[in-house]
Amino acid sequence: MSTDEEAGAIGRHRLGSLQHTQGERTVLEIEGRTIGAEQFAVIAGPCTVESREQTLETAHAVRDAGGALFRGGAYKPRTSPYDFHGLGPEGLRLLAEARLETGLPIVTELLDLRDLDQVREVADVIQIGARNMQNYALLEEVGRAGVPVLLKRGLSSTLDELLLAAEYILKEGNDAVMLCERGIRTFEPSYRFTLDLMAVPVLKERSHLPVIVDPSHAAGRRDLVLPLSLAAAAAGADGIIVEVHPRPEEAICDGPQSLRTSELAGFVERVHAAAAVAGKSIREPAVV
Ligand code: PEP
Ligand code: MN
């Protein structure tokens, strides 16, 4: 087998932006928070923005626990067309308020090109979800928008496909992209998805982009989020993105996998310790 074949399909593509020499890694600076380099970032927040009270309570808990960025969906991709699809513009307004109150930069998902202008007004990082990883028009547009992007791996996508999806953003001149392993479909039905932690070192070997892990959507169960987060940190991830809710039993979306705000500080402390073992340091977030 030649080196190109071993490297997979991506080795046979003409790559521009993803080619790098060792030591030239992309580091994202987002409102004073660093994704990449020696930093480890915890991104946390609810699956979906539900109300002002839930959003602000969660955002304060994330900041107090040492979270780096606040996540929350105003536009939600749902398997059933009859499920809750997010508060839309009102959700974006609540995220802006959370940002103002806590100083935490906002990560929120863009589902539809028609919402780009509204979303970019609030988002410090635009999330492209697993189901849109191969929506190439959307990728090119967020590439042109010049906003940092959190790109999730598709449910059944190979690493080559993820890297080439990232290339759609990079080729438009936007290299502020972090890749996110969030679990893939396998034959194993015991958990929601199978978290592919081998993707962490392999993606870092094959691109210069920071790599984060989403244990919440992979597991589908709260009790698995800590062990998977520790493993992700130990594997050298540049951060994690986790779901958290003040009252997960009442959550509209993804309650069973959401950490409780009351347990977040202890959780973050343990994950930071694992990240330190992997050589990462934790910079204190700026307090506002
Ligand atoms: C999410 O982060 O809320 C989400 C829907 O994730 P994914 O696209 O990985 O399913
Ligand atoms: Mn979710």
Side-chain angles (χ1 to χ4, degrees), residues 46-48 71 76 152 192 214 216-217 243 253-254 257:
C47 180
T48 184
R71 64 147 287 155
K76 296 302 302 176
K152 288 193 155 192
R192 199 173 175 188
D214 175 347
S216 305
H217 288 89
E243 289 186 338
C253 185
D254 285 348
Q257 70 197 29

Side-chain angles (χ1 to χ4, degrees), residues 45-48 50 54 76 78 192 216-217 219-223 225 242-261 263:
C47 180
T48 184
E50 299 170 9
Q54 169 249 13
K76 296 302 302 176
R78 302 302 301 277
R192 199 173 175 188
S216 305
H217 288 89
R221 279 168 44 182
R222 182 177 312 120
D223 61 323
V225 174
V242 291
E243 289 186 338
V244 57
H245 194 286
R247 291 162 294 280
E249 304 69 28
E250 295 170 19
I252 294 178
C253 185
D254 285 348
Q257 70 197 29
S258 297
L259 299 172
R260 296 175 196 284
T261 47
E263 65 190 356

Side-chain angles (χ1 to χ4, degrees), residues 66-102:
L69 290 90
F70 184 59
R71 64 147 287 155
Y75 296 94
K76 296 302 302 176
R78 302 302 301 277
T79 302
S80 165
Y82 306 112
D83 283 341
F84 177 70
H85 282 78
L87 292 179
E90 171 62 6
L92 293 176
R93 202 194 59 69
L94 293 173
L95 288 169
E97 195 175 341
R99 187 184 194 278
L100 202 65
E101 274 212 10
T102 63

